[in-house]
Amino acid sequence: MSQTGFYWHERCFWHDQGAIGVFSAPGEFLQPQPASESPDSKRRLKNILEVSGLIDELHVVKPASATREDLERFHSRRYLDALQAGDQGLGGNGGDCAPYTPGSWSAATQSAGLAIAAVEAVATGVVDNAYALCRPPGHHAEADQGRGFCLLGNIPVAVMRARALSQIKRVAILDWDVHHGNGQQSAFYEEPDVLTVSIHQAANYPLDSGGFDEQGEGEGQGANLNLPLPPGCGIGAYEYAFERLVLPAIEAFAPEMIVVACGFDACAKDPLGKMLLNSQAFAEMTSRLKVLAERCCKGRLVLVHEGGYSEGYAPLCGHATLQALAGSNTAVYDPQNDEIAAWGYQALQPHQRALIDHWQTEWERNQR
C-alpha cells in the first residue's frame, strides 16, 4: 500500500462568506441563507475518514500557511493588498462572486499552504501521493481577482513554488470539477511545461471561458485542453472522455507530476452542477490516474480539494477517492451508488460520443 499524505487544518473550515446562498449578490426578495460553499461538506469528509478508520492509514499533516512570497508568484500585489485590507476591515468581495469576511485571509493562506505542502511532499518523496483538503477552493482565482468562491489560486501557487525551487519542472494539472478550471488555465496559458486539462459542464461557470478552442498561446500553444461536456453527462461519457483524450493527452505530455483539481460537484446530487457521477466514478478516475502516474511520473499524484456542494454525498465521493488513492481496503457503504449507476442516460450517448470523437481528432491534428 502506498504512503498517502492527507493535509488539512481546522482554520480552513472557519472561512465565512456571509449569507449569500446560491446568489452572487443580495436582493429584495432573496431571503438570506447559508452560503453554498460551506465548511460542512469538507468537515464531513474529514469526519467520515475518522469514523471509517481510513485516516489512520494516512500520513496526516497540518502544515504552515502560504507566505506572501509564495502568493506573489501568481497573484498581483495590488490584489493581495486589497484582500488583506478588506480582511482587516468589514470584509468584501475578491472579485466575481468571491465574498469574504474578517478571518478569511487566514483561512485562504492556510488553504494555499495545504496545497503547497502536499505538492512539495510528493515532489521530494516524503509521501507517494497526497490529498489536500483545501478551503476556500482555488481553481477559479486569477492573478488579480477572486472568482466563484475562490480567493487564492491554491494549485497555481503550489505548482509555481515547486517549480521555482526546482522540485519539479513538467506538471500536468487535471481539473474534474464540474466548473471550468479557469484559474489554472490563466496561470499557465503561455507555459509549455505545464499542461492544463479541464473536463467540465459546458457554459456553467465561468460563462466566458472553457471552450475547446482555448488551447494556449505563444510557447504554451497546445498545452491547454478543455472538454466542455454537455449537461447530463454520466459515467459513460466521463469514462469515454478519459479513455480517448484525458489520459492519452497527459501521458503524451510526459509530466513529472500530476495534480488534480478535485471537485465533487459533477456528482448526481450536487445543487450547482447537472452531471450524473456516483462515488465509484470518482474512485475509478482516481485509480486510472494513479496507474498512469506510476507509469509516467513515478506515482507522483496530488489531489487538491475544490468544489462539491452536496453536504451529504460529497463526503462519500471523497472517501471513495481517498480509498482509491491510498490503495486501501477500508471502504464505507454508499447507499445510492448503485441506484445512481442505474439511472437512465448513464451510458455514453450518441451525441456525447460524437463530440468527444471530434475533440480527439482535432486535438491530435493540432498536436501534430
Side-chain angles (χ1 to χ4, degrees), residues 117-151:
V119 167
E120 181 172 63
V122 172
T124 58
V126 174
V127 293
D128 298 314
N129 52 52
Y131 193 101
L133 186 57
C134 294
R135 181 178 184 267
H139 76 138
H140 293 313
E142 297 174 350
D144 58 356
Q145 68 171 338
R147 299 185 78 175
F149 309 142
C150 304
L151 297 177

Side-chain angles (χ1 to χ4, degrees), residues 302-313:
V302 178
L303 275 61
V304 177
H305 196 97
E306 293 290 349
Y309 308 100
S310 171
E311 294 176 5
Y313 201 66

Side-chain angles (χ1 to χ4, degrees), residues 197 261 317:
V197 181
C317 296

